[in-house]
Amino acid sequence: MSLETWLAFLGASVLLVMLPGPTILTVISYSLTHGKRARLPLVLAVALGDSTALALSLLGLGALLAASAFWFTVVKTAGGLYLLYLGFKLLRAGVSPAPLPRAGAAGSRWKLFANTYLVTALNPKGIIFFVAFLPQFIDPAGDVTRQLWTLSATFVACAGINATAYAVFAESARRLLASPRAQRGFNLGGGALLSAAGVWALLARRA
């Protein structure tokens, strides 16, 4: 994998993990209700949850690569179309404030960790997204296993750092996410990013 490809993946990962989803909303809610004691289990849960989702995705990608380059190309193309779909969906999304989940019921650090891990790891949309996203940065002619490990480690590191930032600045983040204007910005920015990624994936394949 070239440095340019890795930097492109790093930039895309940083922008993607910043988009608020179920995991981030859970991290903010738990951080507000449980304070500093929740930060470490929350960050560990996000990192392990994303690692689990990535592992499930990589198992599928590995099987496709082992089967044939044709099916890998099919999945890569389908992934580009899926990214376009997600992008248009965000661009058309409403901007009504999404309420943060109530998190007061979880008292122990173990419960905080378990709940956040389950939200992150068992989100089927996340697994499908990884299957669509990762192949766009992989060169099948190179060492695929090394590339997958590199991309996975990069994404998990970005997700962990992002979760830490949201946990530390939970109160400010909650006020930000409650703003319709901010949600509109997230929707437009995220939709444009995913749409561009989808177009790039399709054009790269044709080239």
Side-chain angles (χ1 to χ4, degrees):
M1 178 182 298
S2 66
L3 178 62
E4 291 78 8
T5 300
W6 180 81
L7 289 175
F9 178 81
L10 175 63
S13 297
V14 169
L15 293 175
L16 288 170
V17 298
M18 291 176 63
L19 296 176
T23 296
I24 293 304
L25 296 179
T26 301
V27 167
I28 294 173
S29 184
Y30 281 155
S31 298
L32 287 172
T33 54
H34 298 279
K36 294 182 179 179
R37 62 186 291 269
R39 289 178 187 171
L40 181 59
L42 290 176
V43 172
L44 293 178
V46 170
L48 185 59
D50 277 330
S51 297
T52 302
L54 277 167
L56 295 175
S57 303
L58 296 184
L59 289 175
L61 289 177
L64 285 170
L65 283 172
S68 73
F70 168 76
W71 285 111
F72 181 75
T73 302
V74 169
V75 171
K76 182 180 174 70
T77 304
L81 294 174
Y82 180 67
L83 293 175
L84 275 175
Y85 165 75
L86 291 179
F88 285 125
K89 189 176 180 181
L90 269 181
L91 289 172
R92 297 181 59 185
V95 296
S96 57
L100 292 174
R102 297 182 179 273
S108 69
R109 289 186 175 185
W110 166 247
K111 287 183 178 180
L112 295 177
F113 173 87
N115 290 346
T116 307
Y117 169 78
L118 291 176
V119 168
T120 306
L122 301 183
N123 182 3
K125 291 183 179 179
I127 297 174
I128 296 173
F129 174 78
F130 287 136
V131 172
F133 185 59
L134 290 179
Q136 315 306 331
F137 297 88
I138 294 174
D139 179 8
D143 188 336
V144 174
T145 300
R146 179 176 297 179
Q147 293 178 72
L148 289 174
W149 276 107
T150 301
L151 297 179
S152 299
T154 300
F155 190 92
V156 170
C158 291
I161 295 172
N162 182 66
T164 301
Y166 271 113
V168 172
F169 302 105
E171 186 174 354
S172 298
R174 187 184 185 104
R175 288 198 299 267
L176 174 64
L177 295 181
S179 166
R181 182 176 181 180
Q183 289 195 10
R184 184 182 296 111
F186 277 120
N187 286 335
L188 293 177
L193 172 65
L194 292 176
S195 299
V199 172
W200 171 77
L202 295 175
L203 293 179
R205 173 183 174 273
R206 291 171 185 166

